[in-house]
Amino acid sequence: MNKNLRKLPLAIAISLALPAIAAENETTLGTVVVTAPATEAPLTVTTDPKAPRQPLPAHDGADLLKSIPGFSVIRKGGTDGDPVFRGMSGSRLGILLDGQEIHGGCGGRMDPPTAYIYPESYDRVTVLKGPQTVLYVPGSSAGVVLFERDFKRMTEPGWSADGSLTFGSWGRNDQYLEARGGNPDFYARINATRSDSDNYEDGDGEEVHSFYTRWSTSAALGWTPDDNTLLELSLGRSDGEAAYADRAMDGTKFERENAALKFEKRNISPLVAKVEALAYYSYVDHVMDNYSLRKPPKDPTKYALNNPDRETKGARVAVTLTPNDPLQLVLGADMKTDEHTLRNGTDYRNQPREADLSFDRYGVFGEATYALDDVRRVIGGLRVDDYEVTNDKMGGITEGETLPSGFLRFENDYGSGAGTWYAGLGHVERFPDYWEYMRTGNMIKVQDARSFATLDPEKTTQLDIGANWTQGPWSASVSGFYSKVDDYILLRWVSDKAANVRNIDATVYGLEGDLSWRFAPNWQAYGTVAWVRGTNDTGDKALAQQPPLEGKLGVEYDNRVFSYGALLRMVAKQDRYDIGSGSIVANGQDLGPTGGFATLALNAGWRPNKATLLTVGVDNVFDRTYSEHLGKGGWDFAGAAVTDERINEPGRTFWVKAQLALD
């Protein structure tokens, strides 16, 4: 793909986004602006990715997640940031796309899993906090994020569609289209998305190397012979390009292809409530270079290009049993194979691919919910996973582990159902991921560095406690955690390309809270807070890459025709850091302390009818120049080196979004 992709005529985008076709059910657009999704169930946050939100509506998965308390993003410029939850990133945070576990190809994390997600093409995003489930991605000590699509069996033949257009400062323009149709026995769905932006400017008017273009398409065909049966085949393809302010290369190709086959059968018998099965395939072909999207080196011998790829195959089967009224039991098994290869050079198409690391995992799990009475219940689960990694660069050396995980949680409703309090203890053992293993055995050694064969799995034991409450116009929740991590895997960066990896012991604790008050008809005020503190117990110092205290205050008016809102985001200074240590993101290290800042955002919306919603907004109203603590150091193009000055965030940003949902 090249820059011509970024010149798709606007007329084509509009014609794609606004079709009108008939369907069976009435569609009404929901809440105008979602700024801080609230916790409504223990350790669970669910949000509608189709709803417009502030700051500027999300164009990738990380952009959406940062609106949820507890999430931060390791920023690299305009796109493809790495999500961080409770100070934990990488494979500590499981990401599933319609049940599929995918990984990017870039060894420097140009393309984390969320880079391949256009949130509006999904119906629901669910965050499951902490090691408090064993049903999904193993090793997810921070939590699991589910991007999901829904489908309800049609009662009669029909079609429907919805689409949106977004325009903003610095050439930002997004297009989204979804069309659905079928009859009670069969259905089809198509999705198409495109997002594009030029370089943005910070509050001082300085341009940041950050332009991008991303597009995706997907289709699904389903068979629903009755209300309890679903068989669906889905296919997807996406690509893009992105300029990065934090590194020596840009991404010129992010091609992804995927296919999945899903089966569900419900209400089989009084014992068997549901059987579900999923098989999927994903292939990522990624190209990065230092000359296509930036001023090339004067010396042609300095041209550089890498072409990694990754092939992932996975499957999952589970059965939900209800042996008696108070007990529900989910039993299942899953597996995933993952192979990464690489080739280099400007003539890479003529070069053979060289395998470097491949992973195999097979797991079994069980999770039970037992109701002690009408207001009390116990939830618990166990899983065991067998892992094997092969280092093809070192002659096929293999390393394997069998790792257990589990949790037990007590929940108690109170106030005649007004709220729930809970306490849970979880333990998860995480096998080192690709980015951690690739740093072993071939970099500059430091004290306590680990080799390929001696890097130990990470073991997290965590206590989660909290409560939710809703009464009249008030709604609130608080969730706290305390975690001890044995053999925490920490990177120590020795240059912008090289890092060592080692095991340490760590302690991490913190909380998230939200409060909402509907103080008058159509009016709501809300606030959120997120705080985390991490300590490197081995080194008796701060744990690297921990976000500062953050709070949000907002007010909204919405009478279902007009809406208005304001959001104040406040971030405290961060004086706990470990210079040089950090995450698996290329050169993702602490750079020193950061000062606090605050930004104001305003929005307004108009719903002229049930199917149309127009929203406008301005972010960073006062054009503040600021950078995030987890922001990366910028690339000094003149000096051809990474600096210790963080990349500044966008200055004042105007945007407008139009949504149409037609039946």
Side-chain angles (χ1 to χ4, degrees):
M1 188 178 63
N2 54 45
K3 292 186 178 179
N4 291 332
L5 177 65
R6 307 181 66 244
K7 306 302 181 183
L8 181 69
L10 178 60
I12 296 177
I14 294 175
S15 66
L16 287 174
L18 302 178
I21 50 182
E24 57 157 9
N25 292 324
E26 182 177 79
T27 299
T28 302
L29 293 168
T31 303
V32 174
V33 176
V34 177
T35 49
T39 301
E40 297 179 352
L43 297 163
T44 303
V45 178
T46 302
T47 187
D48 177 6
K50 297 182 184 299
R53 62 191 60 230
Q54 194 158 27
L56 179 63
H59 74 279
D60 68 17
D63 242 16
L64 180 136
L65 291 175
K66 71 181 182 183
S67 69
I68 298 175
F71 276 92
S72 308
V73 176
I74 302 174
R75 294 274 287 164
K76 308 160 190 173
T79 188
D80 299 343
D82 247 82
V84 180
F85 183 60
R86 292 177 164 178
M88 300 293 176
S89 60
S91 60
R92 300 179 183 98
L93 181 64
I95 306 288
L96 287 178
L97 283 64
D98 266 338
Q100 304 172 49
E101 185 179 354
I102 70 164
H103 303 285
C106 179
R109 297 283 289 191
M110 272 189 186
D111 58 339
T114 47
Y116 295 95
I117 298 171
Y118 190 87
E120 197 171 346
S121 66
Y122 292 85
D123 297 307
R124 181 176 63 257
V125 177
T126 303
V127 177
L128 306 174
K129 300 181 180 182
Q132 289 290 308
T133 183
V134 296
L135 299 180
Y136 305 107
V137 189
S140 302
S141 52
V144 176
V145 182
L146 310 176
F147 288 83
E148 299 174 297
R149 294 188 175 102
D150 298 326
F151 189 85
K152 183 179 180 180
R153 185 176 183 242
M154 305 178 71
T155 58
E156 61 184 42
W159 294 85
S160 65
D162 59 88
S164 70
L165 297 174
T166 302
F167 300 98
S169 300
W170 305 296
R172 170 74 181 270
N173 68 96
D174 295 2
Q175 301 87 40
Y176 158 72
L177 165 68
E178 179 175 329
R180 304 162 298 276
N183 58 40
D185 292 329
F186 298 96
Y187 69 86
R189 184 192 69 243
I190 61 170
N191 291 82
T193 75
R194 179 180 176 275
S195 183
D196 177 87
S197 179
D198 297 328
N199 292 336
Y200 70 76
E201 296 179 359
D202 66 15
D204 291 330
E206 295 293 328
E207 187 173 293
V208 176
H209 186 65
S210 57
F211 67 86
Y212 62 85
T213 299
R214 305 299 289 266
W215 64 265
S216 68
T217 58
S218 65
L221 296 173
W223 177 50
T224 53
D226 55 56
D227 290 340
N228 296 313
T229 306
L230 167 67
L231 179 65
E232 180 186 86
L233 172 66
S234 60
L235 303 170
R237 183 180 176 88
S238 63
D239 204 344
E241 64 181 19
Y244 294 97
D246 70 321
R247 60 191 67 198
M249 289 185 173
D250 300 310
T252 60
K253 181 180 180 181
F254 294 90
E255 185 175 296
R256 176 178 178 246
E257 299 173 347
N258 70 284
L261 184 64
K262 177 170 63 175
F263 173 76
E264 290 186 7
K265 182 71 173 179
R266 299 174 182 269
N267 301 318
I268 298 174
S269 71
L271 173 64
V272 183
K274 182 172 70 169
V275 173
E276 53 188 315
L278 172 71
Y280 63 91
Y281 171 85
S282 176
Y283 178 71
V284 170
D285 189 7
H286 173 46
V287 176
M288 65 193 93
D289 67 45
N290 66 346
Y291 54 86
S292 296
L293 304 183
R294 63 178 65 193
K295 185 177 180 180
K298 293 181 180 180
D299 182 356
T301 64
K302 301 296 184 182
Y303 281 36
L305 182 147
N306 291 332
N307 176 215
D309 75 344
R310 188 185 299 271
E311 184 180 59
T312 303
K313 302 173 185 176
R316 179 181 187 270
V317 61
V319 57
T320 302
L321 304 175
T322 52
N324 51 54
D325 286 342
L327 177 64
Q328 176 177 287
L329 181 64
V330 181
L331 300 175
D334 53 19
M335 58 81 64
K336 180 173 70 71
T337 66
D338 181 6
E339 183 177 1
H340 188 277
T341 74
L342 181 67
R343 56 186 178 182
N344 301 301
T346 55
D347 63 339
Y348 70 97
R349 292 182 179 87
N350 299 318
Q351 303 298 320
R353 290 194 176 275
E354 297 183 4
D356 52 4
L357 290 174
S358 58
F359 293 79
D360 295 283
R361 179 189 62 78
Y362 300 88
V364 293
F365 57 85
E367 186 167 307
T369 301
Y370 186 81
L372 301 173
D373 51 39
D374 290 342
V375 298
R376 298 179 302 161
R377 56 202 160 272
V378 177
I379 304 98
L382 292 171
R383 75 173 294 141
V384 177
D385 291 274
D386 185 74
Y387 297 84
E388 184 176 88
V389 57
T390 301
N391 189 334
D392 295 298
K393 283 188 173 182
M394 300 178 66
I397 295 176
T398 62
E399 183 75 10
E401 296 276 358
T402 299
L403 303 178
S405 299
F407 76 98
L408 184 65
R409 183 172 73 251
F410 175 76
E411 297 180 359
N412 194 137
D413 300 334
Y414 65 92
S416 300
T420 303
W421 69 265
Y422 58 88
L425 184 66
H427 177 82
V428 60
E429 300 192 8
R430 184 179 68 87
F431 197 67
D433 60 32
Y434 168 82
W435 296 269
E436 292 161 340
Y437 261 127
M438 71 174 288
R439 303 295 178 187
T440 62
N442 59 353
M443 297 296 177
I444 301 171
K445 301 298 184 205
V446 296
Q447 184 179 6
D448 201 33
R450 293 287 189 261
S451 69
F452 179 82
T454 61
L455 185 62
D456 295 324
E458 192 174 275
K459 308 166 188 68
T460 300
T461 302
Q462 180 168 306
L463 174 66
D464 281 279
I465 58 174
N468 309 323
W469 174 70
T470 300
Q471 187 69 49
W474 294 91
S475 179
S477 75
V478 62
S479 56
F481 69 98
Y482 183 89
S483 179
K484 297 293 289 187
V485 189
D486 295 329
D487 296 316
Y488 181 96
I489 300 174
L490 182 68
L491 270 67
R492 181 77 177 180
W493 288 90
V494 295
S495 74
D496 63 300
K497 297 179 180 179
N500 294 286
V501 62
R502 64 194 188 280
N503 291 110
I504 64 166
D505 292 336
T507 301
V508 184
Y509 53 92
L511 60 84
E512 303 92 43
D514 60 74
L515 175 66
S516 172
W517 176 35
R518 295 190 175 276
F519 58 90
N522 306 321
W523 284 94
Q524 177 179 233
Y526 59 88
T528 70
V529 64
W531 172 73
V532 63
R533 182 183 178 96
T535 301
N536 177 343
D537 297 331
T538 301
D540 193 23
K541 56 186 175 182
L543 186 63
Q545 292 287 276
Q546 300 297 294
L549 171 68
E550 179 174 328
K552 295 177 182 178
L553 293 175
V555 61
E556 294 177 350
Y557 170 84
D558 186 358
N559 67 2
R560 309 304 296 172
V561 177
F562 295 100
S563 68
Y564 310 96
L567 172 67
L568 177 65
R569 178 182 177 226
M570 300 164 288
V571 179
K573 68 178 182 179
Q574 179 59 287
D575 54 11
R576 289 176 53 80
Y577 54 88
D578 179 11
I579 293 178
S581 293
S583 69
I584 59 177
V585 180
N587 201 34
Q589 60 178 293
D590 280 0
L591 301 173
T594 50
F597 62 86
T599 60
L600 177 66
L602 303 174
N603 64 74
W606 175 44
R607 185 184 290 102
N609 54 57
K610 67 180 183 181
T612 307
L613 176 62
L614 302 175
T615 50
V616 298
V618 54
D619 303 335
N620 194 2
V621 171
F622 298 109
D623 208 16
R624 177 77 180 268
T625 300
Y626 70 99
S627 59
E628 305 284 356
H629 179 75
L630 297 184
K632 299 284 297 301
W635 179 259
D636 182 354
F637 290 85
V642 172
T643 73
D644 60 0
E645 295 184 8
R646 291 178 178 84
I647 302 166
N648 284 337
E649 296 299 305
R652 186 183 297 114
T653 303
F654 295 93
W655 58 268
V656 57
K657 181 170 185 174
Q659 292 176 269
L660 189 63
L662 295 176
D663 301 339

